[in-house]
Amino acid sequence: MTGFRISFVVFLFASLPLRAAERPNILWITSEDNAWNWLGCYGDDNARTPRLDALAESGALFTHAYSNGPVCAVARSTILNGAYAVTQGTQHMRSRHSIPAGYQPYVRYLRDAGYFCTNNSKTDYNFKGDDRAVWDACSPKAHYKKRPAASPFFAIFNLTVSHESSLFPEVIAANRKRGIIPSTPRLDPAAVKVPPYLPDLPEIRSDIAIYADNITALDTQVGKLLDELESSGLADDTIVFYYGDHGGILPRGKRYLNDTGVRVPLLVRVPEKWRSLTPFDAGSRVDEPVSFVDLAPTVLSIAGIDKPARMQGRAFLGPKRVEPAADEIEFLYADRFDEIYGMRRGITDGRWKYIRCFTPHLPGAPYSYYQFGQDGWSAWQRAWRDGRLEPPFTALWETPQPVERLFDTRNDPWETHNLAADPAHAERLAAMRERLRETMIDAKDTGLVPEPMFDELAPEQPIATWLDARSHMLPAIVDLAFTASASKPGNLSALRAKLGSDDPLARYWSAQGCLILGKAAAPAATDLEKLLDDPYSAIRTAAAHALHILGNPEGKTALLAELSRAAGADAKLNAINALSQIDALDDIPDAWVARARKDKNSGTYVQRIAEQIAKSRKATR
């Protein structure tokens, strides 16, 4: 055989995927709604997490791991396809919009490589399709023990004991009755430390004490899974990941781009047999930033599989590991959560955090009505409404919200000091603002399209496909979104110039900019009136909302009419959001509320709000 042929054969052999038997098993243990700061291994003095602490000692602890989106369905769509939710069009909570066919879950690549893949058992992937069909087994009984002989496994166990609902009074009572948590908190609520971003209220103290017990229960459950792996004789062949699915659980946690909402615990243990797959020693603390978009390429790398072209993340383990860039950042996003619209974007390098609010005319709370099942959230809202709070604890409930936030999370870990207006940080602010702009363009951020326009603009294709075909327009639209959200009266002339544009996105962001300016947009009133007959509901709604703020009675009339005029559920929900902001829910006709409660085509969230309106009216009549 010639030297060329020998070299070719060697190359061909090296390029082939590893045989199934030569690959490690991979176990993912996930927990819901707990940020990094609740575990002992991350420095929490109150925690009792011996099993997780031991896992950290035998593996690598990532100090700056982030959920790109601070809520479950959005985060899971990011993980599954290894792509930002805003690139796929899956950033709105439980939206189920279609995504381009080219996206394939990382699970498919693992199964093609011979892995037996199980999920026990949450899916919630946030796009159209059959979630369970992704897996070899997906149910509360799905288990790696049921794999075919000699097959490596990839298995997920989702633990829900730490979910935000665990602080709902009825769930607390049930968990105490079942012995999951003690009948009285281990910690004295009067003695717990209240983080400085929260008001010191008895209900919040109580929630902190109870949740510490939930974390202990979580630790016990993790321990049982690790013991089961050990007793099965598989621990030496299995790489174990543990992570929280996003932040939480206290107010200003889940759904927020603060670290309390997006920074998560991430522990990875690689057994000695597979030590070559990690550059990190056992017991190490890894400071390089990673995020959920990196998980799919990392698990494929561990299995020796190349990263597919559509995956946007970075493999941080395995033979295909990519070293972090010198200016590595993680991209963060928050849009509609349940019934409530809003748009925020952020970036972080692990220390510096920049957050931009594209809807500063909306309050920072609530972002969902579901959260008021917690006594702490409800108590904070009552205290604010009753005038019992002083700044800064009133700020979250008020408008306008800051357009820009800049935090030094090393020196201000609770993000209580916004440095955006500090001249000493002006250069950093400008640089991070520009970096976010570039990131949104590169990611082809579908959040630039209001959700009610998804089906209107792209009735026969995913919105991501529609926007990708128009990517040449993205820089101009991103610039306009930044101009609109800046809330600067000097930008009005630029906004007015786009109100009559042929581009519906330009019209939307210009109308949105006028809405954000409020009274300062008065010279644009005539232009806004013309948009009340725009073909697109989101544009009509933004214009009507702006006109109402300017004192034009046509504004509220148009918003009420939009409830029947709008064709889609998202458009109706958007109009209800606007009516709520102007305190006009009481003006919605009873007949419309009755129809919406019964009509499934109204959409789940419209039905929920209709139910709330009906209950409120019944209670007051």
Coordinates of all heavy atoms in Angstrom, one line a residue, residues 219-278:
D219 N -31.8 18.4 47.0 CA -30.5 17.8 47.2 C -30.6 16.3 47.4 O -29.9 15.4 46.9 CB -29.7 18.4 48.3 CG -28.3 17.9 48.5 OD1 -27.4 18.4 47.7 OD2 -28.1 17.1 49.4
T220 N -31.6 15.9 48.3 CA -31.9 14.5 48.6 C -32.3 13.8 47.3 O -31.8 12.6 47.1 CB -33.0 14.4 49.6 OG1 -32.6 15.1 50.8 CG2 -33.4 13.0 49.9
Q221 N -33.1 14.4 46.5 CA -33.5 13.7 45.2 C -32.4 13.5 44.3 O -32.2 12.5 43.6 CB -34.6 14.5 44.6 CG -35.9 14.5 45.3 CD -37.0 15.4 44.7 OE1 -36.8 15.9 43.6 NE2 -38.2 15.5 45.3
V222 N -31.5 14.5 44.2 CA -30.3 14.4 43.4 C -29.4 13.2 43.9 O -28.9 12.4 43.1 CB -29.5 15.7 43.4 CG1 -28.1 15.5 42.7 CG2 -30.2 16.8 42.6
G223 N -29.3 13.1 45.2 CA -28.5 12.1 45.8 C -29.0 10.7 45.5 O -28.3 9.8 45.2
K224 N -30.4 10.5 45.4 CA -31.0 9.2 45.1 C -30.6 8.9 43.6 O -30.4 7.7 43.4 CB -32.5 9.3 45.3 CG -32.9 9.3 46.8 CD -34.4 9.4 46.9 CE -34.8 9.4 48.4 NZ -36.3 9.5 48.5
L225 N -30.6 9.8 42.7 CA -30.3 9.5 41.4 C -28.8 9.1 41.2 O -28.5 8.2 40.5 CB -30.6 10.8 40.5 CG -32.1 11.1 40.3 CD1 -32.2 12.4 39.6 CD2 -32.8 10.0 39.5
L226 N -28.0 9.8 42.0 CA -26.5 9.5 41.9 C -26.3 8.1 42.6 O -25.5 7.3 42.1 CB -25.7 10.6 42.6 CG -25.7 11.9 42.0 CD1 -25.0 12.9 42.8 CD2 -25.2 11.9 40.6
D227 N -27.0 7.8 43.6 CA -26.8 6.5 44.3 C -27.3 5.4 43.3 O -26.7 4.3 43.3 CB -27.7 6.4 45.6 CG -27.0 7.3 46.7 OD1 -25.9 7.7 46.5 OD2 -27.7 7.6 47.7
E228 N -28.4 5.7 42.6 CA -28.9 4.7 41.7 C -27.9 4.4 40.6 O -27.7 3.3 40.1 CB -30.3 5.2 41.1 CG -31.0 4.2 40.2 CD -32.3 4.7 39.7 OE1 -32.4 5.9 39.4 OE2 -33.2 3.9 39.6
L229 N -27.3 5.5 40.1 CA -26.3 5.3 39.1 C -25.1 4.4 39.6 O -24.6 3.5 38.9 CB -25.8 6.7 38.6 CG -24.8 6.7 37.5 CD1 -25.4 6.4 36.2 CD2 -24.1 8.1 37.4
E230 N -24.7 4.7 40.8 CA -23.6 4.0 41.4 C -23.9 2.5 41.6 O -23.2 1.6 41.3 CB -23.2 4.6 42.8 CG -22.0 4.0 43.4 CD -20.7 4.5 42.8 OE1 -20.6 5.6 42.3 OE2 -19.8 3.6 42.7
S231 N -25.2 2.3 42.1 CA -25.6 0.9 42.4 C -25.7 0.1 41.1 O -25.7 -1.2 41.1 CB -26.9 0.9 43.2 OG -27.9 1.4 42.5
S232 N -26.0 0.8 40.0 CA -26.1 0.1 38.7 C -24.8 -0.2 38.1 O -24.7 -0.9 37.1 CB -26.9 1.0 37.8 OG -28.2 1.2 38.2
G233 N -23.7 0.2 38.8 CA -22.4 -0.1 38.3 C -22.0 0.8 37.1 O -21.1 0.4 36.3
L234 N -22.7 1.9 36.9 CA -22.5 2.8 35.7 C -21.8 4.1 36.0 O -21.5 4.8 35.0 CB -23.8 3.0 35.1 CG -24.6 1.8 34.6 CD1 -26.1 2.2 34.2 CD2 -23.9 1.2 33.3
A235 N -21.5 4.4 37.2 CA -20.9 5.7 37.5 C -19.6 6.0 36.9 O -19.3 7.1 36.4 CB -20.8 5.8 39.1
D236 N -18.8 4.9 36.7 CA -17.4 5.1 36.1 C -17.5 5.3 34.6 O -16.5 5.7 34.0 CB -16.5 3.9 36.4 CG -16.1 3.8 37.9 OD1 -16.3 4.9 38.6 OD2 -15.8 2.8 38.4
D237 N -18.6 5.1 34.0 CA -18.8 5.2 32.6 C -19.7 6.4 32.2 O -20.1 6.5 31.1 CB -19.4 3.9 32.0 CG -18.3 2.9 31.7 OD1 -17.3 3.3 31.0 OD2 -18.4 1.8 32.1
T238 N -20.1 7.2 33.2 CA -21.2 8.2 33.0 C -20.7 9.6 33.4 O -20.3 9.8 34.5 CB -22.4 7.8 33.8 OG1 -22.9 6.5 33.4 CG2 -23.6 8.8 33.5
I239 N -20.8 10.5 32.5 CA -20.6 11.9 32.7 C -21.9 12.5 33.3 O -22.9 12.4 32.6 CB -20.1 12.6 31.5 CG1 -18.8 12.1 31.0 CG2 -20.0 14.2 31.7 CD1 -18.2 12.6 29.7
V240 N -21.8 13.2 34.4 CA -23.0 13.7 35.1 C -23.0 15.2 35.0 O -22.0 15.9 35.3 CB -23.1 13.3 36.5 CG1 -24.3 13.9 37.2 CG2 -23.1 11.7 36.6
F241 N -24.1 15.8 34.5 CA -24.4 17.2 34.5 C -25.5 17.5 35.5 O -26.5 16.7 35.6 CB -24.9 17.7 33.2 CG -23.9 17.8 32.1 CD1 -23.3 16.7 31.5 CD2 -23.5 19.1 31.6 CE1 -22.4 16.8 30.5 CE2 -22.6 19.2 30.5 CZ -22.0 18.0 30.0
Y242 N -25.4 18.5 36.3 CA -26.5 19.0 37.1 C -26.6 20.5 36.8 O -25.6 21.2 36.8 CB -26.3 18.8 38.6 CG -27.3 19.8 39.4 CD1 -28.6 19.5 39.4 CD2 -26.8 21.0 39.9 CE1 -29.5 20.5 40.0 CE2 -27.6 21.9 40.5 CZ -29.0 21.6 40.6 OH -29.8 22.5 41.1
Y243 N -27.8 21.0 36.5 CA -28.0 22.4 36.3 C -29.4 22.8 36.7 O -30.4 22.0 36.6 CB -27.6 22.9 34.9 CG -28.5 22.3 33.8 CD1 -29.6 22.8 33.4 CD2 -28.0 21.1 33.2 CE1 -30.4 22.3 32.3 CE2 -28.7 20.5 32.1 CZ -29.9 21.1 31.7 OH -30.7 20.6 30.7
G244 N -29.6 24.1 37.0 CA -31.0 24.6 37.2 C -31.5 25.1 35.8 O -30.7 25.7 35.0
D245 N -32.8 25.0 35.6 CA -33.3 25.4 34.2 C -33.4 26.9 34.0 O -33.5 27.3 32.9 CB -34.6 24.6 33.9 CG -35.8 25.2 34.6 OD1 -35.6 25.9 35.7 OD2 -36.9 24.9 34.2
H246 N -33.3 27.7 35.0 CA -33.2 29.1 34.9 C -33.2 29.6 36.4 O -33.3 28.8 37.3 CB -34.2 29.8 34.1 CG -35.6 29.4 34.4 ND1 -36.3 29.7 35.5 CD2 -36.5 28.5 33.7 CE1 -37.5 29.2 35.5 NE2 -37.6 28.4 34.4
G247 N -33.2 30.9 36.6 CA -33.2 31.4 37.9 C -34.6 31.4 38.5 O -35.6 30.9 38.0
G248 N -34.7 32.0 39.7 CA -35.9 32.0 40.5 C -35.3 32.1 41.9 O -34.2 32.5 42.1
I249 N -36.1 31.9 42.9 CA -37.5 31.6 42.9 C -38.2 32.8 43.5 O -39.4 33.0 43.4 CB -37.7 30.4 43.8 CG1 -39.2 30.0 43.9 CG2 -37.2 30.6 45.2 CD1 -39.6 28.7 43.5
L250 N -37.4 33.7 44.2 CA -38.0 34.9 44.8 C -38.4 35.9 43.8 O -38.0 35.8 42.6 CB -37.0 35.5 45.8 CG -36.5 34.5 46.9 CD1 -35.5 35.3 47.8 CD2 -37.7 34.1 47.8
P251 N -39.2 36.9 44.2 CA -39.5 38.0 43.2 C -38.2 38.6 42.6 O -37.2 38.7 43.3 CB -40.2 39.0 44.1 CG -40.9 38.1 45.2 CD -39.9 37.1 45.4
R252 N -38.4 39.0 41.4 CA -37.3 39.6 40.5 C -36.3 38.5 40.2 O -35.1 38.8 40.0 CB -36.6 40.8 41.2 CG -36.0 41.8 40.1 CD -34.8 42.5 40.6 NE -33.6 41.6 40.8 CZ -32.4 42.0 41.1 NH1 -32.2 43.3 41.3 NH2 -31.4 41.1 41.3
G253 N -36.7 37.3 40.2 CA -35.9 36.2 39.8 C -36.3 35.7 38.4 O -35.9 36.2 37.4
K254 N -37.0 34.6 38.4 CA -37.6 34.0 37.2 C -38.3 35.1 36.4 O -39.0 36.0 36.9 CB -38.6 32.9 37.6 CG -39.2 32.2 36.4 CD -40.1 31.1 36.9 CE -40.7 30.3 35.9 NZ -41.5 29.2 36.4
R255 N -38.0 35.2 35.1 CA -38.5 36.1 34.1 C -37.7 37.4 34.0 O -38.1 38.3 33.2 CB -40.0 36.4 34.3 CG -40.9 35.2 34.4 CD -42.4 35.5 34.6 NE -43.1 34.3 34.7 CZ -43.3 33.6 35.9 NH1 -42.9 34.1 37.0 NH2 -44.0 32.5 35.9
Y256 N -36.7 37.6 34.8 CA -35.9 38.8 34.8 C -34.5 38.5 34.2 O -34.0 37.3 34.5 CB -35.8 39.4 36.1 CG -37.2 40.0 36.5 CD1 -38.2 39.2 37.1 CD2 -37.4 41.3 36.3 CE1 -39.4 39.7 37.4 CE2 -38.7 41.9 36.7 CZ -39.7 41.0 37.2 OH -40.9 41.6 37.5
L257 N -33.9 39.4 33.6 CA -32.5 39.3 33.1 C -31.4 39.6 34.1 O -30.2 39.5 33.8 CB -32.3 40.1 31.8 CG -33.2 39.7 30.6 CD1 -32.8 40.5 29.4 CD2 -33.1 38.2 30.3
N258 N -31.8 39.9 35.3 CA -30.8 40.0 36.4 C -30.3 38.6 36.6 O -30.9 37.6 36.3 CB -31.5 40.5 37.7 CG -32.1 41.9 37.5 OD1 -33.3 42.0 37.1 ND2 -31.4 42.9 37.7
D259 N -29.1 38.5 37.3 CA -28.5 37.2 37.5 C -29.4 36.3 38.3 O -29.4 35.1 38.2 CB -27.2 37.4 38.3 CG -26.0 37.6 37.3 OD1 -26.2 37.8 36.1 OD2 -24.9 37.6 37.8
T260 N -30.3 36.9 39.2 CA -31.2 36.1 39.9 C -32.2 35.4 39.0 O -32.9 34.5 39.4 CB -32.0 37.0 40.9 OG1 -32.4 38.2 40.3 CG2 -31.1 37.4 42.1
G261 N -32.3 35.8 37.8 CA -33.2 35.2 36.8 C -32.5 34.3 35.8 O -33.1 33.4 35.3
V262 N -31.3 34.6 35.5 CA -30.6 33.9 34.4 C -29.4 33.1 34.8 O -28.9 32.2 34.1 CB -30.2 34.8 33.2 CG1 -31.5 35.4 32.6 CG2 -29.3 35.9 33.7
R263 N -28.8 33.4 36.0 CA -27.5 32.7 36.3 C -27.9 31.5 37.1 O -28.7 31.5 38.1 CB -26.7 33.6 37.2 CG -25.3 33.1 37.5 CD -24.4 34.1 38.2 NE -23.2 33.6 38.8 CZ -22.5 34.2 39.6 NH1 -22.8 35.4 40.1 NH2 -21.4 33.6 40.1
V264 N -27.3 30.3 36.7 CA -27.8 29.0 37.2 C -26.6 28.3 37.7 O -25.4 28.5 37.3 CB -28.5 28.2 36.1 CG1 -29.7 28.9 35.6 CG2 -27.5 27.9 34.9
P265 N -26.9 27.3 38.6 CA -25.8 26.4 39.0 C -25.5 25.4 37.9 O -26.5 24.9 37.2 CB -26.4 25.7 40.2 CG -27.9 25.7 40.0 CD -28.1 27.0 39.3
L266 N -24.3 25.1 37.6 CA -23.9 24.0 36.6 C -22.7 23.3 37.2 O -21.6 23.9 37.4 CB -23.6 24.7 35.3 CG -23.0 23.7 34.2 CD1 -23.9 22.6 33.9 CD2 -22.6 24.5 33.0
L267 N -22.9 22.0 37.4 CA -21.9 21.1 37.9 C -21.7 20.0 36.9 O -22.7 19.4 36.4 CB -22.2 20.5 39.3 CG -22.7 21.5 40.4 CD1 -23.2 20.7 41.6 CD2 -21.6 22.5 40.7
V268 N -20.4 19.6 36.6 CA -20.2 18.5 35.7 C -19.1 17.6 36.2 O -18.0 18.1 36.5 CB -19.7 19.1 34.3 CG1 -19.5 17.9 33.3 CG2 -20.7 20.1 33.7
R269 N -19.5 16.3 36.4 CA -18.5 15.4 36.9 C -18.1 14.4 35.7 O -19.0 13.7 35.2 CB -19.1 14.6 38.0 CG -18.1 13.6 38.7 CD -18.7 12.8 39.8 NE -19.7 11.8 39.3 CZ -20.5 11.1 40.1 NH1 -20.5 11.3 41.4 NH2 -21.3 10.2 39.6
V270 N -16.9 14.3 35.5 CA -16.3 13.4 34.4 C -15.5 12.4 35.1 O -14.5 12.7 35.8 CB -15.5 14.2 33.4 CG1 -14.9 13.2 32.4 CG2 -16.3 15.3 32.7
P271 N -15.9 11.1 35.0 CA -15.1 10.0 35.7 C -13.7 9.9 35.1 O -13.5 10.3 34.0 CB -16.0 8.8 35.5 CG -16.8 9.1 34.3 CD -17.1 10.5 34.3
E272 N -12.9 9.3 35.8 CA -11.5 9.1 35.5 C -11.3 8.5 34.1 O -10.4 8.9 33.3 CB -10.7 8.3 36.5 CG -9.2 8.3 36.3 CD -8.6 9.7 36.4 OE1 -9.1 10.5 37.2 OE2 -7.6 10.0 35.6
K273 N -12.1 7.5 33.8 CA -12.0 6.8 32.5 C -12.1 7.8 31.3 O -11.5 7.6 30.3 CB -13.1 5.7 32.4 CG -13.1 5.0 31.1 CD -14.2 3.9 31.1 CE -14.2 3.2 29.8 NZ -15.3 2.1 29.8
W274 N -12.9 8.9 31.5 CA -13.1 9.8 30.4 C -12.5 11.2 30.7 O -13.0 12.2 30.2 CB -14.7 9.9 30.2 CG -15.3 8.6 29.9 CD1 -16.1 7.9 30.7 CD2 -15.3 8.0 28.6 NE1 -16.5 6.7 30.1 CE2 -16.0 6.7 28.8 CE3 -14.7 8.2 27.4 CZ2 -16.2 5.8 27.8 CZ3 -14.8 7.3 26.4 CH2 -15.6 6.1 26.6
R275 N -11.5 11.2 31.5 CA -10.8 12.4 31.9 C -10.3 13.2 30.7 O -10.2 14.5 30.7 CB -9.7 12.1 32.9 CG -9.0 13.3 33.4 CD -9.9 14.2 34.2 NE -10.5 13.5 35.3 CZ -11.5 14.1 36.1 NH1 -11.9 15.3 35.8 NH2 -12.0 13.4 37.1
S276 N -10.0 12.5 29.6 CA -9.5 13.2 28.4 C -10.6 14.2 27.8 O -10.2 15.0 27.0 CB -9.1 12.2 27.3 OG -10.1 11.4 26.9
L277 N -11.8 14.0 28.2 CA -12.9 14.8 27.6 C -13.1 16.1 28.3 O -14.0 16.9 27.9 CB -14.2 14.0 27.6 CG -14.2 12.7 26.8 CD1 -15.6 12.0 26.9 CD2 -13.9 13.0 25.3
T278 N -12.4 16.4 29.3 CA -12.5 17.7 30.0 C -11.1 18.3 30.3 O -10.2 17.6 30.7 CB -13.3 17.5 31.4 OG1 -13.3 18.8 32.0 CG2 -12.6 16.5 32.3

